[in-house]
Amino acid sequence: MEFRQIHYFISLYEEGTVTRAALRLNIVQPALSMQISKLEEHLGQKLFERTKQGMVPTAAARQMYRLFLPIMRDFSNAQAQMLSSEGAIRGHVNIGLIASITEGVLVDTLSEFSTKYPEVGVSVSDGYTSTLTDWVAGGRLDAAIVNKPRRPLALDVEHIVDEEMVLITGAAFAPSLPATLTLRQLPSLGLALVLPTRGHGLRSNIDSFAEGENIELTPKFEIDSLVATVKLVEQTQVATIVPRVAVHRQLANGSLRAHPIASPRLVRRVVSVSHPRRPLNPATRLFISMLAANMRLRTPGGQQGEEQKAESE
């Protein structure tokens, strides 16, 4: 089994067709097909079913992908670290983000990062906290920015920021609300709520605060898509509870209004997770640092909270 064959296999597995994989690898299709055939012969197992729709991975291929992807990623990271030690930052960032961060600060961070480090490529996946942490553990991602999990993880966990969650209404439909809200007041305000489903990390945070106040928040709508939720709130008389950073643009342009909840103050802790046996390459560390800085800038009291946290440690 050759290193080149594994590289070709991973490209074909991810691209799904010989045409796209060969284009990605910058080789001719017959060369790719020949190496995959040699790999199958060496393993004594078929890796792909050839269909009209493309190359469908077999069970053996799925197992091989899970086993070899972390190894290839480690190789790429090691190569990037050696190249970066010469001065310029190179390599690839492969990171996962929960949706509110993707919507809140990703575009600004990518723009800033690509200008400063033009030789670095970035791949971003979004998903639930549980999914992203599993992908980090399995080597599919180098790191992920997620809600702090309640259960202990066999991963390195680094605090990023504590985000305030606020009640959000559409500016055109903003009801008359008290200047200071409490979570216990919400059920009596007659607001129709849209919240994520119960499998969502943000919903788990909101429900835990509600349980602490001995109340139940019963949403009219349950939607996991942050984009759809924000549009619904902008266009109708429903409200939601989200981190302020996730809607800072809409708050700035006046299409949404934020109503802080003073008691209890709804805060979610955002952390970075990475594998303890797979050191992050310099590019990934820099990207996380820049992303964290952008989050803190858009979180009222975020920088102050970081300073207080540092003083207490």
Side-chain angles (χ1 to χ4, degrees):
M1 185 184 299
E2 300 177 7
F3 179 87
R4 175 180 56 175
Q5 291 172 340
I6 300 171
H7 184 47
Y8 287 6
F9 162 77
I10 288 176
S11 295
L12 181 55
Y13 186 99
E14 292 179 345
E15 295 297 337
T17 71
V18 173
T19 302
R20 290 201 298 266
L23 186 63
R24 168 175 163 177
L25 294 164
N26 196 28
I27 61 174
V28 295
Q29 296 181 35
L32 173 60
S33 298
M34 180 180 67
Q35 291 300 326
I36 295 299
S37 295
K38 286 184 177 181
L39 182 59
E40 290 178 324
E41 182 179 350
H42 174 76
L43 296 172
Q45 299 183 77
K46 181 177 284 190
L47 296 174
F48 296 96
E49 298 288 348
R50 281 75 171 169
T51 70
K52 292 181 179 179
Q53 287 73 37
M55 305 290 276
V56 180
T58 64
R62 291 192 293 273
Q63 180 186 28
M64 182 173 175
Y65 184 76
R66 288 194 301 270
L67 291 171
F68 280 92
L69 183 64
I71 297 172
M72 297 298 285
R73 200 172 300 289
D74 288 346
F75 177 85
S76 297
N77 283 344
Q79 183 183 43
Q81 291 194 49
M82 293 304 297
L83 291 172
S84 296
S85 66
E86 297 177 358
I89 298 298
R90 300 182 177 90
H92 194 91
V93 176
N94 192 43
I95 195 168
L97 304 176
I98 50 178
S100 59
I101 297 172
T102 304
E103 293 300 318
V105 298
L106 177 60
V107 172
D108 291 341
T109 302
L110 284 174
S111 177
E112 181 183 355
F113 188 82
S114 63
T115 300
K116 195 167 185 179
Y117 306 108
E119 296 186 54
V120 179
V122 180
S123 297
V124 178
S125 302
D126 63 10
Y128 291 169
T129 291
S130 58
T131 301
L132 295 176
T133 53
D134 286 346
W135 287 352
V136 171
R140 181 171 172 177
L141 297 174
D142 296 328
I145 311 299
V146 298
N147 296 304
K148 184 179 181 181
R150 295 183 180 181
R151 58 183 176 87
L153 297 175
L155 298 171
D156 287 340
V157 179
E158 181 180 347
H159 179 264
I160 297 294
V161 70
D162 289 340
E163 289 185 331
E164 177 193 14
M165 295 187 289
V166 294
L167 182 72
I168 299 294
T169 59
F173 307 97
S176 177
L177 296 175
T180 302
L181 289 175
T182 68
L183 191 61
R184 195 182 293 271
Q185 285 178 290
L186 283 190
S188 63
L189 293 176
L191 293 172
L193 289 176
V194 52
L195 297 175
T197 63
R198 292 190 182 275
H200 198 285
L202 182 58
R203 177 67 179 275
S204 297
N205 277 333
I206 295 170
D207 284 348
S208 67
F209 281 107
E211 289 168 10
E213 294 297 299
N214 197 29
I215 62 172
E216 182 176 358
L217 299 178
T218 305
K220 182 175 182 179
F221 304 108
E222 293 182 307
I223 304 174
D224 285 343
S225 168
L226 181 62
V227 173
T229 294
V230 170
K231 287 184 177 179
L232 186 65
V233 172
E234 284 178 326
Q235 298 174 15
T236 67
Q237 296 181 357
V238 299
T240 191
I241 299 173
V242 295
R244 186 188 292 268
V245 67
V247 291
H248 69 90
R249 289 187 180 84
Q250 292 86 347
L251 293 175
N253 66 28
S255 62
L256 293 178
R257 289 186 184 174
H259 309 273
I261 299 172
S263 177
R265 184 167 174 260
L266 272 59
V267 174
R268 73 164 182 179
R269 176 153 289 186
V270 177
V271 299
S272 166
V273 296
S274 59
H275 200 288
R277 294 195 299 274
R278 299 191 189 107
L280 298 177
N281 64 39
T284 301
R285 291 197 299 269
L286 287 167
F287 185 82
I288 291 174
S289 177
M290 190 175 291
L291 190 75
N294 279 329
M295 291 177 64
R296 292 174 188 133
L297 283 173
R298 291 163 177 78
T299 302
Q303 189 63 43
Q304 179 182 0
E306 287 297 299
E307 293 168 355
Q308 290 173 346
K309 179 176 180 292
E311 290 172 0
S312 66
E313 291 179 343

